[in-house]
Amino acid sequence: MRLLHFFILASTIITFSDVDSFAQPRKEHQLQVDESDKKDGDDLLDILKDTPEKKSYTTAAFKTSRLVNGHSIENTGKGVLDFRVNHRFGNLLNGTSNFFGLDDANTRIGFDYGVTDWLMVGFGRNTYQKEYDGFLKVKLLRQTENKGMPLSLSYMGASSIQSMPAPTLPAGQEYHFSNRMYYVNQLLIARKFNRWLSLQIMPTHVHYNLVPTTPESNDLVAVGVGGRVKLSNRVAINGEYYYRVPGTEQNGYYNVLSIGVDIETGGHVFQLIISNSRAMTERAFIGQTNGQWGFDGKTGSFDAIHFGFNLSRVFTIVRPKEFRGGGDSMY
Amino acid sequence: MKRSIILLVAFSLIALHGNAQKYLTRTGKVSFYGSTPLETIEAINNEVACVLDAEKGSFIFQVPVKSFKFEKSLMQEHFNENYMESSTYPKAEYRGSIENINDIDLSKNGTYDVKTKGNLKIHGVTKEVSLPGKLIVKGNNITVQSKFKVVPQDYNIEIPGVVVDKIAKEIEVTVNSIMQTK
């Protein structure tokens, strides 16, 4: 009796559970596919929503590591070598006699390298005063996409040596090697406001070991402002202006204003620029730009508008570890 | 007597709910590969979130687009900035269900071929697709493997003339994710 009772109960439960787990739901599935799918989806979405939000950095505030003449907040990627050729031509508006300045070019050839994601170094050789320059740029703060950090901050330190023949000095005076040297300290503060607009402020200090006359300051303080407006995914317009703080500047020079167009094609970035400076080191274009924009009353011409370009080509030297084996590492 | 009834009820309840398992991972892997004579484009993402309801066969894959890692960092930047526009469309998603879920039992160890149907959302564009895959059940883990092709133009990803020879017409996507019981 007891045993029978047990079997009846057991079979009832099994039958019931059978019906419940197979026959019934299948029917329901067919009848109310939409509703149940929706419910499932929401269920699953809720689970995914628990995923902790990952910190995501804002990238590509500017297309390349230079705004126009000066540095932008961007670094060359880790393990990437950036070969740069820059040209600055002569007077754009002198007409065909010097082919709009193209007869007369200043060149900088340089290499930049990304040591880590936050440190890049570079050096170059300039036509202007046969100058050698080297720099390092360090990312200190990075703008984040969500809440958190509203802007990016980098430090750029550079030094350069001009290698012009030593001037003939009066007897008893000596021309030291250190007289040829310049030092630059610069902070880059930038914010990418949206896809189209990024702005940057560049407080700058330049130290000149030698200045033309004694009353002039060896230390220049300048503040740069710059920005980018993106016209399309591959074309952007950049602008950059450096204001020299009165009292620290040298005589006879002008503030530099440069405007550029960035055009990017795969591994290249071309920057076509117009500027009143023909030099490419900070000490020269920020502190010693000797032409001015617009009509110059003294010479009676537009004598200081120069066309130029920066050309950048990147090479990946050290591959990220995920790709070192080559081939398909997934399967 | 009473005891055995309770035991039976308990067992049948367990049997009923044993299937209602949900599997989850937040470190799933998705990679893609496209190659032309001029350029090979390859990227790996290890931060894919996926969740699967093993009873109903419904699932969601969420891929944070910015987490794709490339061999060339400039390529990675261009991928995000120019092609996927990942600040505007941060996530790619595949949401759907396993069509043949009633023919397979995911509570048993083994390898199962599955057919899935659902909505694949890339670059803000949603397309209905059906994709094949493989589920490998081992204890509390289910591994998802799949290989399928995606045509960038289908998702309004514009490829300009200058690079058209460098980017493959079809991109092969590989999924390999191990999910665990939630």
Side-chain angles (χ1 to χ4, degrees):
Chain A
M1 182 59 204
R2 260 181 131 184
L3 207 67
L4 188 72
H5 202 108
F6 178 83
F7 270 118
I8 292 169
L9 199 80
S11 59
T12 319
I13 289 170
I14 288 165
T15 326
F16 184 72
S17 72
D18 246 18
V19 167
D20 199 43
S21 64
F22 296 105
Q24 204 88 327
R26 221 179 262 185
K27 244 184 205 164
E28 264 177 27
H29 255 290
Q30 278 165 359
L31 286 173
Q32 312 173 331
V33 170
D34 285 343
E35 204 200 328
S36 72
D37 268 2
K38 207 176 159 196
K39 264 191 213 155
D40 292 350
D42 286 353
D43 247 31
L44 298 179
L45 259 192
D46 286 344
I47 296 172
L48 284 183
K49 266 182 194 143
D50 299 340
T51 314
E53 190 84 354
K54 216 192 130 215
K55 203 190 237 176
S56 155
Y57 293 112
T58 306
T59 53
F62 301 98
K63 279 214 184 296
T64 180
S65 59
R66 303 307 196 288
L67 197 49
V68 186
N69 275 320
H71 279 272
S72 78
I73 197 86
E74 299 301 330
N75 275 28
T76 302
K78 183 185 177 184
V80 174
L81 182 74
D82 185 2
F83 174 53
R84 299 190 146 258
V85 178
N86 301 354
H87 275 7
R88 301 290 183 269
F89 298 106
N91 272 338
L92 181 63
L93 300 172
N94 270 4
T96 49
S97 67
N98 71 347
F99 196 49
F100 306 99
L102 266 67
D103 285 351
D104 181 17
N106 271 357
T107 306
R108 178 182 185 272
I109 292 178
F111 292 95
D112 292 354
Y113 183 71
V115 180
T116 69
D117 283 330
W118 51 267
L119 171 68
M120 77 180 273
V121 295
F123 73 93
R125 166 64 159 76
N126 302 268
T127 307
Y128 180 72
Q129 296 196 341
K130 302 182 184 298
E131 189 167 351
Y132 295 86
D133 70 87
F135 72 88
L136 61 86
K137 185 155 68 173
V138 185
K139 285 188 179 182
L140 300 174
L141 297 175
R142 296 178 71 182
Q143 187 184 339
T144 53
E145 207 128 80
N146 320 321
K147 282 167 279 173
M149 188 55 62
L151 42 81
S152 299
L153 171 71
S154 288
Y155 166 79
M156 199 285 294
S159 118
S160 59
I161 303 162
Q162 54 94 339
S163 62
M164 298 289 280
T168 332
L169 294 173
Q173 284 189 26
E174 220 181 312
Y175 190 70
H176 301 285
F177 179 75
S178 61
N179 291 153
R180 302 172 176 278
M181 294 191 71
Y182 311 92
Y183 306 93
V184 183
N185 292 300
Q186 188 172 50
L187 287 178
L188 307 164
I189 305 160
R191 176 166 167 80
K192 184 180 188 178
F193 287 89
N194 51 47
R195 296 184 59 192
W196 309 109
L197 181 70
S198 307
L199 295 178
Q200 185 173 286
I201 301 172
M202 304 82 91
T204 308
H205 161 246
V206 185
H207 179 81
Y208 299 84
N209 272 355
L210 186 69
V211 287
T213 60
T214 325
E216 286 170 285
S217 167
N218 287 76
D219 292 283
L220 168 77
V221 177
V223 180
V225 290
R228 165 183 94 163
V229 176
K230 212 167 151 187
L231 299 182
S232 78
N233 275 344
R234 285 162 197 86
V235 180
I237 290 189
N238 294 336
E240 176 189 84
Y241 178 74
Y242 280 92
Y243 173 76
R244 296 167 306 144
V245 174
T248 65
E249 87 274 38
Q250 293 167 30
N251 299 327
Y253 297 115
Y254 298 94
N255 292 341
V256 61
L257 170 69
S258 318
I259 293 163
V261 179
D262 288 2
I263 301 167
E264 166 228 297
T265 59
H268 293 85
V269 177
F270 293 102
Q271 296 183 296
L272 308 178
I273 76 146
I274 286 180
S275 175
N276 57 332
S277 173
R278 292 184 65 201
M280 285 160 275
T281 50
E282 279 73 15
R283 69 94 181 170
F285 71 79
I286 298 174
Q288 299 176 329
T289 290
N290 46 24
Q292 80 183 113
W293 272 83
F295 191 77
D296 187 341
K298 273 183 264 172
T299 58
S301 66
F302 294 92
D303 64 356
I305 301 175
H306 304 282
F307 174 65
F309 65 78
N310 300 344
L311 194 159
S312 151
R313 174 75 177 122
V314 295
F315 301 93
T316 302
I317 304 295
V318 180
R319 305 202 287 172
K321 65 174 182 295
E322 286 94 334
F323 297 93
R324 267 174 210 166
D328 193 351
S329 57
M330 297 285 300
Y331 264 2
Chain B
M1 176 63 206
K2 244 187 189 170
R3 225 182 179 183
S4 57
I5 292 174
I6 290 168
L7 265 176
L8 260 172
V9 171
F11 269 118
S12 57
L13 281 176
I14 288 166
L16 270 174
H17 282 93
N19 271 342
Q21 292 267 28
K22 292 196 172 71
Y23 292 84
L24 173 74
T25 179
R26 300 181 204 283
T27 54
K29 285 179 190 168
V30 169
S31 65
F32 66 81
Y33 181 87
S35 130
T36 69
L38 291 174
E39 191 91 74
T40 295
I41 296 169
E42 191 185 2
I44 302 172
N45 191 330
N46 289 326
E47 294 171 19
V48 177
C50 42
V51 55
L52 167 75
D53 185 323
E55 188 192 14
K56 289 168 181 150
S58 54
F59 59 81
I60 301 176
F61 280 79
Q62 275 186 348
V63 182
V65 177
K66 273 205 170 180
S67 304
F68 275 105
K69 290 210 173 70
F70 286 70
E71 187 181 329
K72 298 175 180 169
S73 69
L74 194 66
M75 203 184 266
Q76 183 168 327
E77 188 182 312
H78 292 169
F79 169 78
N80 285 302
E81 279 287 297
N82 302 345
Y83 298 96
M84 295 298 278
E85 304 176 274
S86 54
S87 296
T88 319
Y89 311 110
K91 274 178 187 159
E93 195 178 85
Y94 183 43
R95 212 167 149 173
S97 55
I98 298 169
E99 284 191 295
N100 53 339
I101 187 71
N102 291 325
D103 307 332
I104 55 180
D105 183 0
L106 294 178
S107 58
K108 284 184 194 140
N109 286 353
T111 302
Y112 306 96
D113 285 322
V114 290
K115 285 181 203 151
T116 70
K117 199 173 180 181
N119 291 319
L120 180 60
K121 187 162 105 184
I122 302 174
H123 190 238
V125 178
T126 306
K127 291 254 148 146
E128 201 168 288
V129 293
S130 46
L131 305 172
K134 205 186 268 179
L135 294 182
I136 301 162
V137 181
K138 201 175 178 190
N140 284 334
N141 294 342
I142 296 185
T143 305
V144 193
Q145 292 185 344
S146 175
K147 252 184 199 196
F148 57 92
K149 289 198 164 142
V150 170
V151 179
Q153 274 83 353
D154 288 351
Y155 297 90
N156 286 351
I157 298 168
E158 187 199 327
I159 293 167
V162 249
V163 293
V164 83
D165 295 334
K166 291 186 178 176
I167 298 177
K169 302 280 170 279
E170 285 184 325
I171 307 291
E172 188 179 71
V173 181
T174 306
V175 181
N176 189 11
S177 300
I178 303 169
M179 298 187 287
Q180 281 163 341
T181 336
K182 191 185 145 48

